Amino acid sequence: MMSIVAVVGRPNVGKSTFFNRLIQRREAIVDAVSGVTRDRHYGKSDWNGKEFSLIDTGGYVKGSDDIFEAEIDKQVELAIDEADAIIFMVDVESGVTGMDQEVAKLLRRSKKPIFLAINKVDSASRMNDALEFYSLGFENQYTLSSINGSGTGDLLDDLVKALPEREEQDDSELPRFAVVGRPNAGKSSFINALIGKDRYIVTDIAGTTRDSIDTKYNRFGFEFNLVDTAGIRKKSKVKEDLEFYSVMRSVRAIEHCDVIILVFDATRGFDGQVENIFWLAQRNNKGIVILANKWDLVEDKESSSVKDYEKYIRQQIEPFVDVPIVFVSVLTKQRIYKAIETAVEVYQNRSKKVKTSELNDVMLPIIQNYPPPAYKAKYVKIKFCTQLPTPYPSFAFFCNLPQYVKDPYKRFIENKLRENFDFTGVPITVYFRKK
């Protein structure tokens, strides 16, 4: 399981800039998905070969009457509680403030590894100004500039050393299907209906599920692990925020599954929170099946309503629209087995390996008829392509000038791969490399 690092501090100290720099400078695959509460983001990054999830929290303000700031404060406390290590960011320009001291008190109670990042130290004269932050009492202190990135390397070197070594999730070779979505969307009911017994407590109260639990499923010729990711784990001293924990459990489950089954309440709509989880799965290159649950409760259904609703969902998830959407009712068990059949098909698509000879026989004539546009009077010539040995579909196209191949042509190649080889429900990564 991947470690979690929270970036905390009062407002306007540069947390989001620091967060963006971390995820953009990584050479590995990264992602950033906006949260549902103001000024919170989730990211994935790595340093020195060690991956970790990153939370950019809102600015902590103690005692504010602003309803948004009160909500953000609760989110910060939850992020601290969930994290394995914490980057505490302060601003050298303003020096130690009363709010910095409040955050420091909160962090000392957490008993987590704390790394004090003194931001905006972009000149030698400010190095001396940073000395006053020793008064906050943290041993791990680093001067940096989130704007230009100076000093971040030393911080990250020590950070990854402090992160715990995670045990492997499961040595089983069975596929892992994670059931994710907002609280009270019907995830636990879906699993109960599939396995034919009430394995999980199901109520109308959002957040009933307290832990992510694996269930081995072996019926009708299918065998895999189902993971219920409601995962609202009860915390002492911290008031629960269901949406926050829903996202965090989804983050962790998505990282360690093969296919996600994204369940949403059709009466509530395909909203921003559901989209965030979708894009998180897409950027992690996981197979995706979308389930519109409680379809039987949707009023004023007409003969074209399913088609219209599906069209709306695809507009929300553009440009990755090659995703199966199944309309189900967990309560009446309507099409729930169709959902599982579809998830198995997506898993098979994600595991598909295309022979190099077949790939070249199909793709090279297409490329010859529709070559990349010339750039600065230079022509890109693609001579060879192959599928890479990754757990998800990724392809390398070897050419003379890979730097001149732009995103529109990469999307063209991806679409042609989908047309000729069935990769429904699976993100595809296309690389252009120097021959």
Side-chain angles (χ1 to χ4, degrees):
M1 186 176 291
M2 197 173 298
S3 298
I4 294 178
V5 177
V7 183
V8 304
R10 60 181 175 80
N12 303 318
V13 296
K15 297 185 304 300
S16 294
T17 304
F18 176 72
F19 172 88
N20 289 335
R21 174 163 290 279
L22 283 191
I23 66 167
Q24 289 170 1
R25 67 180 298 174
R26 301 281 65 76
E27 294 181 358
I29 298 170
V30 298
D31 75 359
V33 181
S34 297
V36 292
T37 303
R38 190 175 66 175
D39 196 29
R40 187 178 74 240
H41 298 81
Y42 307 93
K44 175 185 171 186
S45 188
D46 79 277
W47 186 260
N48 291 342
K50 191 164 188 176
E51 291 187 334
F52 54 92
S53 293
L54 201 63
I55 310 172
D56 170 30
T57 65
Y60 188 87
V61 180
K62 188 69 174 178
S64 172
D65 293 330
D66 188 316
I67 186 171
F68 285 106
E69 289 178 348
E71 177 67 15
I72 289 170
D73 290 355
K74 183 170 64 174
Q75 301 290 330
V76 172
E77 293 175 4
L78 288 164
I80 291 170
D81 192 53
E82 184 73 8
D84 297 295
I86 299 161
I87 298 174
F88 174 22
M89 184 157 283
V90 294
D91 182 354
V92 73
E93 290 183 348
S94 56
V96 178
T97 67
M99 196 53 60
D100 290 330
Q101 293 172 341
E102 289 291 337
V103 177
K105 290 179 183 178
L106 181 67
L107 294 179
R108 279 194 290 269
R109 293 197 300 268
S110 72
K111 308 296 183 183
K112 304 287 180 68
I114 310 296
F115 297 84
L116 181 64
I118 306 169
N119 194 22
K120 304 181 185 178
V121 182
D122 47 15
S123 65
S125 61
R126 289 186 172 180
M127 293 295 292
N128 291 332
D129 296 336
L131 296 176
E132 70 170 298
F133 288 94
Y134 279 106
S135 64
L136 293 176
F138 296 106
E139 179 181 354
N140 300 319
Q141 183 166 313
Y142 305 84
T143 56
L144 54 87
S145 171
S146 59
I147 291 292
N148 60 36
S150 64
T152 56
D154 293 337
L155 166 61
L156 292 173
D157 284 343
D158 291 343
L159 172 69
V160 295
K161 292 176 184 177
L163 295 178
E165 293 294 333
R166 296 290 188 179
E167 296 181 359
E168 293 296 324
Q169 281 292 105
D170 189 357
D171 292 333
S172 170
E173 295 182 358
L174 288 179
R176 289 174 59 84
F177 293 2
V179 184
V180 302
R182 292 187 64 163
N184 209 27
K187 299 181 293 297
S188 295
S189 298
F190 174 69
I191 294 180
N192 286 341
L194 283 174
I195 64 178
K197 56 184 178 181
D198 291 340
R199 166 71 188 273
Y200 300 101
I201 299 171
V202 179
T203 71
D204 291 331
I205 303 171
T208 300
T209 304
R210 296 291 173 178
D211 289 296
S212 297
I213 307 172
D214 284 18
T215 300
K216 187 175 180 180
Y217 183 89
N218 188 355
R219 298 179 70 185
F220 308 110
F222 303 139
E223 186 173 13
F224 50 83
N225 284 322
L226 274 172
V227 186
D228 181 10
T229 60
I232 313 300
R233 188 168 56 193
K234 190 171 184 179
K235 301 287 183 177
S236 60
K237 302 181 182 178
V238 179
K239 185 176 180 180
E240 293 179 89
D241 183 288
L242 300 179
E243 296 292 356
F244 176 83
Y245 275 120
S246 174
V247 172
M248 289 313 304
R249 291 296 173 268
S250 296
V251 168
R252 286 185 161 176
I254 286 168
E255 288 165 354
H256 300 285
C257 77
D258 299 296
V259 176
I260 75 155
I261 300 174
L262 178 54
V263 183
F264 77 97
D265 185 341
T267 64
R268 195 173 181 179
F270 194 82
D271 57 19
Q273 174 76 326
V274 182
E275 289 181 40
N276 287 335
I277 297 174
F278 173 87
W279 289 117
L280 187 61
Q282 184 269 338
R283 291 184 176 99
N284 277 271
N285 297 291
K286 306 300 182 180
I288 304 173
V289 178
I290 298 175
L291 298 192
N293 188 27
K294 306 182 184 180
W295 186 244
D296 55 318
L297 301 180
V298 175
E299 297 179 356
D300 300 324
K301 290 196 293 286
E302 300 175 359
S303 59
S304 62
S305 61
V306 169
K307 186 176 180 180
D308 292 340
Y309 207 116
E310 184 174 327
K311 181 180 178 181
Y312 167 75
I313 293 173
R314 297 196 188 282
Q315 289 174 342
Q316 302 305 112
I317 61 176
E318 289 180 341
F320 180 34
V321 297
D322 189 17
V323 178
I325 302 171
V326 184
F327 291 81
V328 304
S329 169
V330 170
L331 188 63
T332 64
K333 296 187 177 182
Q334 184 181 23
R335 285 189 289 274
I336 62 170
Y337 297 109
K338 174 64 176 177
I340 286 299
E341 289 177 3
T342 304
V344 171
E345 291 171 0
V346 169
Y347 172 76
Q348 292 169 345
N349 291 342
R350 187 173 185 265
S351 308
K352 182 180 297 180
K353 303 298 180 185
V354 181
K355 291 181 179 179
T356 301
S357 58
E358 182 183 0
L359 184 66
N360 282 270
D361 288 345
V362 171
M363 295 304 297
L364 291 185
I366 294 173
I367 292 169
Q368 186 175 4
N369 291 329
Y370 301 94
Y375 184 77
K376 296 182 178 179
K378 295 182 179 179
Y379 293 88
V380 179
K381 296 180 180 179
I382 301 171
K383 298 295 186 181
F384 178 75
C385 54
T386 186
Q387 184 171 359
L388 299 176
T390 55
Y392 53 88
S394 58
F395 299 87
F397 289 76
F398 294 90
C399 57
N400 58 333
L401 299 168
Q403 68 272 26
Y404 293 150
V405 180
K406 305 304 179 183
D407 287 341
Y409 193 78
K410 290 181 180 178
R411 287 194 292 270
F412 167 77
I413 291 296
E414 178 184 338
N415 290 336
K416 290 302 177 183
L417 286 168
R418 293 187 182 280
E419 286 178 16
N420 290 277
F421 310 99
D422 185 7
F423 288 111
T424 298
V426 185
I428 296 175
T429 304
V430 176
Y431 301 97
F432 285 84
R433 292 179 175 174
K434 183 75 174 179
K435 189 179 187 314

